[in-house]
Amino acid sequence: MPTVADYIVLNDRSFTLIEGESREIGPFDLPSNFVRGTSRAKPILAYRAKALGSADGALAPQARLRVSIQNGLHPLETVFLEGDGLSGQWEAFSGNFLNDVVLNDVTFTLEMGRIWISDVILWYQVRI
């Protein structure tokens, strides 16, 4: 059965996290024809991120960010960002972490530093 890529914009605004803070994005639902995934068909979480320096400007920009899905039950990735450049991040992961029956969420938890995040998008495949 053929599939096609689709996406949902989970957050199109920016937010900043400081060490120890979390931000949950959701809840969001998926269509019933969502493809859970195979080794070649996986959902992709994409977002923009930038490490920020300390509030007083004394420390170079560094941040360690943990990203998880379904109330933190399924860790997707831990990213270390260094320097003041804006980066695009994306992670392909098992579609079994998502559900087309109950609501889903994505959680960003900052383990170290300060970070700016924006434009969180979930790409997935649907059967047509």
Side-chain angles (χ1 to χ4, degrees), residues 53-60:
S54 62
D56 62 5
L59 298 176

Side-chain angles (χ1 to χ4, degrees), residues 56-120:
D56 62 5
L59 298 176
Q62 292 184 340
R64 187 173 56 241
L65 177 69
R66 184 171 25 101
V67 183
S68 56
I69 216 146
Q70 296 298 56
N71 297 313
L73 294 176
H74 304 288
L76 299 184
E77 67 176 348
T78 299
V79 177
F80 181 76
L81 300 171
E82 188 171 28
D84 59 0
L86 179 63
S87 67
Q89 302 289 319
W90 58 91
E91 178 68 19
F93 62 96
S94 172
N96 293 324
F97 293 167
L98 296 171
N99 199 310
D100 60 351
V101 178
V102 298
L103 296 175
N104 302 276
D105 64 74
V106 175
T107 304
F108 293 90
T109 303
L110 192 61
E111 296 178 340
M112 181 191 82
R114 290 183 354 161
I115 197 166
W116 174 91
I117 299 171
S118 73
D119 302 321
V120 182

Side-chain angles (χ1 to χ4, degrees), residues 18-55:
I18 60 172
E19 192 168 313
E21 282 188 332
S22 292
R23 170 72 63 99
E24 182 180 296
I25 299 178
F28 60 91
D29 59 356
L30 293 170
S32 60
N33 59 344
F34 159 71
V35 176
R36 288 205 177 277
T38 64
S39 62
R40 297 183 65 145
K42 294 181 177 183
I44 299 169
L45 182 69
Y47 56 96
R48 295 187 323 154
K50 180 178 181 176
L52 302 173
S54 62

